[in-house]
Amino acid sequence: MEPDNSTLEPFLLNSTDEVVSTDAPWDVATLLGLQISLSAILAVVTLATALSNAFVITTIVLTRKLHTPANVLIGSLAVTDLLVSILVMPIAILYTVSKTWTLGQIVCDIWLSSDITFCTASILHLCVIALDRYWAITDALEYSKRRTMRRASVMIAVVWVISISISIPPLFWRQAKAHEELTDCMVNTDQISYTIYSTFGAFYVPTVLLVILYGRIYVAARSRILKSPAACGKRFTTAQLIQTSAGSSLCSLNSTSNQEGNLHPMVGAGHGQASGQGGGRTGGSGGSPLFANSVKVKLADNVLERKRLCAAREKKATKTLGIILGAFIVCWLPFFVGTLVMAICKKCWFDPLLFDVFTWLGYLNSLINPVIYTIFNDEFKQAFQKLIKFKSCY
């Protein structure tokens, strides 16, 4: 005969209640602690992103030396990343921590559109900066004439037009479901055609373009670096420094058809005397052959030194662009691969926590961009030091 457990029921129920009442507060406290810690970490990242990009913008605005078309592109990138930190990341913190959308349909539409637009614009800015850098290094003299503020403004406008065109389509099918109760806020990956269009337009095509541009920049810069200064030094008499988008200088040296004909007038002009036309001799007592040879040696040494500086700056600029490209790929590749896989493979499963990590890794790129530019750009570092010391940047 089975024992009668009716007399034990009150005891068992009380024991269960005690267990639940003992464990539940601990679980809730642990969860709350994790949420607070995660919120604090993400808030620090968001604040650092906002401050670093604000400093870049302030530095460019207050430093006249940085008022160049190349730095306008960098400033526009900083503005875009600042918008990410102000309009996208704070709401993303709330949504990531709570796992439930409580802000309604309108805020969801604005937030998603801002997220797609600003993140896409940030990525495309890297493309136009690399394109500007590519033209500056491969066609330095001609591009220096076309490198104007107007051209930079047109490039920025194209970036925003493409970004907005990618963010608009989801608004239509989200409005069709506006009457439904909203518990989550994300782009519907069921629209495979849009997912392919947006991921390729915002990431895959720009990435291929960046890799191609960087490869050509690397080859061009390396050929300049490996070029023997001794072989070219005697052919050049003047140097022109052209500012580049990476904050370094590209040295473009103008060759002369006859160095002897240029050196002697310089000697004569330096002593207020005219050059002779018959035998290429300098007139007056100051135009001795010994003096002319001395000027030749000094001029050659000056050109060689300029070429060495240009090679060093070229190498540093190429390294900087490589770091920017590497950071961009590391930050955004997991997110866009995951987004495309979820759209194409319906049976594939992604842990929501892992997808949150991928999303914030992409946001982190908005913090890395200004940090890279300020660390590897001497002009920005000097301007930052003046701002920190409250000195005039003019």
Side-chain angles (χ1 to χ4, degrees):
M1 187 178 70
E2 294 182 1
D4 184 10
N5 294 330
S6 59
T7 58
L8 299 177
E9 288 181 1
F11 176 78
L12 292 175
L13 290 173
N14 292 335
S15 300
T16 305
D17 291 339
E18 289 179 2
V19 173
V20 172
S21 63
T22 302
D23 292 344
W26 173 258
D27 293 338
V28 171
T30 302
L31 180 61
L32 182 61
L34 291 175
Q35 288 179 333
I36 294 174
S37 301
L38 180 60
S39 300
I41 293 173
L42 298 182
V44 170
V45 173
T46 302
L47 182 61
T49 303
L51 290 178
S52 59
N53 285 288
F55 268 115
V56 171
I57 296 169
T58 304
T59 302
I60 294 175
V61 171
L62 296 181
T63 309
R64 295 194 182 190
K65 186 179 180 181
L66 298 179
H67 291 180
T68 63
N71 288 324
V72 166
L73 296 177
I74 296 177
S76 182
L77 171 63
V79 170
T80 305
D81 289 334
L82 180 63
L83 291 174
V84 172
S85 66
I86 294 176
L87 299 179
V88 177
M89 295 172 72
I91 297 179
I93 294 175
L94 178 63
Y95 190 34
T96 301
V97 173
S98 65
K99 294 296 183 184
T100 303
W101 185 260
T102 58
L103 301 178
Q105 179 71 44
I106 296 177
V107 177
C108 175
D109 291 342
I110 296 174
W111 179 65
L112 278 180
S113 299
S114 301
D115 189 357
I116 298 172
T117 301
F118 299 147
C119 290
T120 302
S122 179
I123 294 171
L124 295 181
H125 268 89
L126 297 178
C127 289
V128 297
I129 290 173
L131 191 61
D132 175 77
R133 170 69 180 160
Y134 170 73
W135 286 330
I137 194 174
T138 56
D139 191 17
L141 294 179
E142 290 298 325
Y143 184 59
S144 64
K145 302 174 184 177
R146 302 192 303 267
R147 202 181 200 182
T148 61
M149 291 293 185
R150 182 178 180 180
R151 188 184 185 93
S153 301
V154 170
M155 296 171 74
I156 293 171
V158 171
V159 164
W160 284 105
V161 168
I162 296 175
S163 302
I164 293 173
S165 67
I166 291 176
S167 66
I168 285 179
L171 288 173
F172 297 105
W173 56 75
R174 281 205 303 270
Q175 290 299 323
K177 297 183 179 181
H179 62 280
E180 299 179 4
E181 184 179 356
L182 195 66
T183 57
D184 54 14
C185 182
M186 60 181 64
V187 178
N188 187 4
T189 55
D190 292 339
Q191 302 286 341
I192 299 179
S193 58
Y194 170 74
T195 302
I196 295 175
Y197 161 72
S198 61
T199 54
F200 273 80
F203 177 76
Y204 292 107
V205 173
T207 300
V208 172
L209 179 62
L210 280 171
V211 171
I212 293 174
L213 288 175
Y214 176 70
R216 294 189 176 183
I217 290 172
Y218 177 80
V219 171
R222 188 163 181 81
S223 65
R224 289 177 181 271
I225 294 170
L226 296 179
K227 206 171 186 180
S228 173
C232 302
K234 294 181 179 180
R235 297 176 55 213
F236 299 114
T237 59
T238 59
Q240 179 183 10
L241 296 179
I242 300 175
Q243 296 299 321
T244 65
S245 60
S248 67
S249 295
L250 170 63
C251 186
S252 179
L253 299 175
N254 297 326
S255 61
T256 60
S257 59
N258 190 337
Q259 183 186 4
E260 297 295 330
N262 283 336
L263 283 174
H264 288 290
M266 289 177 62
V267 176
H271 289 74
Q273 298 172 1
S275 300
Q277 296 180 358
R281 295 173 302 157
T282 58
S285 59
S288 64
L290 180 61
F291 185 81
N293 289 335
S294 175
V295 172
K296 290 180 183 180
V297 172
K298 290 181 180 179
L299 182 58
D301 290 341
N302 185 39
V303 171
L304 291 178
E305 183 62 24
R306 284 175 178 266
K307 287 181 67 64
R308 292 190 190 99
L309 290 175
C310 291
R313 289 176 178 177
E314 200 65 57
K315 186 176 182 180
K316 186 176 182 180
T318 305
K319 180 181 178 182
T320 301
L321 196 61
I323 294 174
I324 293 172
L325 176 62
F328 159 72
I329 293 176
V330 169
C331 288
W332 280 115
L333 182 62
F335 173 81
F336 282 98
V337 169
T339 301
L340 194 59
V341 168
M342 284 194 302
I344 296 176
C345 180
K346 297 300 181 182
K347 295 182 179 180
C348 298
W349 177 81
F350 262 93
D351 190 340
L353 179 60
L354 184 62
F355 200 76
D356 286 339
V357 172
F358 291 166
T359 301
W360 276 94
L361 189 61
Y363 292 155
L364 189 64
N365 188 240
S366 295
L367 171 60
I368 292 176
N369 288 333
V371 171
I372 292 176
Y373 278 114
T374 53
I375 289 178
F376 293 95
N377 190 320
D378 293 335
E379 291 181 349
F380 273 96
K381 284 195 293 186
Q382 294 172 4
F384 267 114
Q385 292 173 358
K386 290 181 180 180
L387 286 179
I388 293 174
K389 295 178 181 179
F390 299 99
K391 291 183 177 181
S392 175
C393 295
Y394 290 85

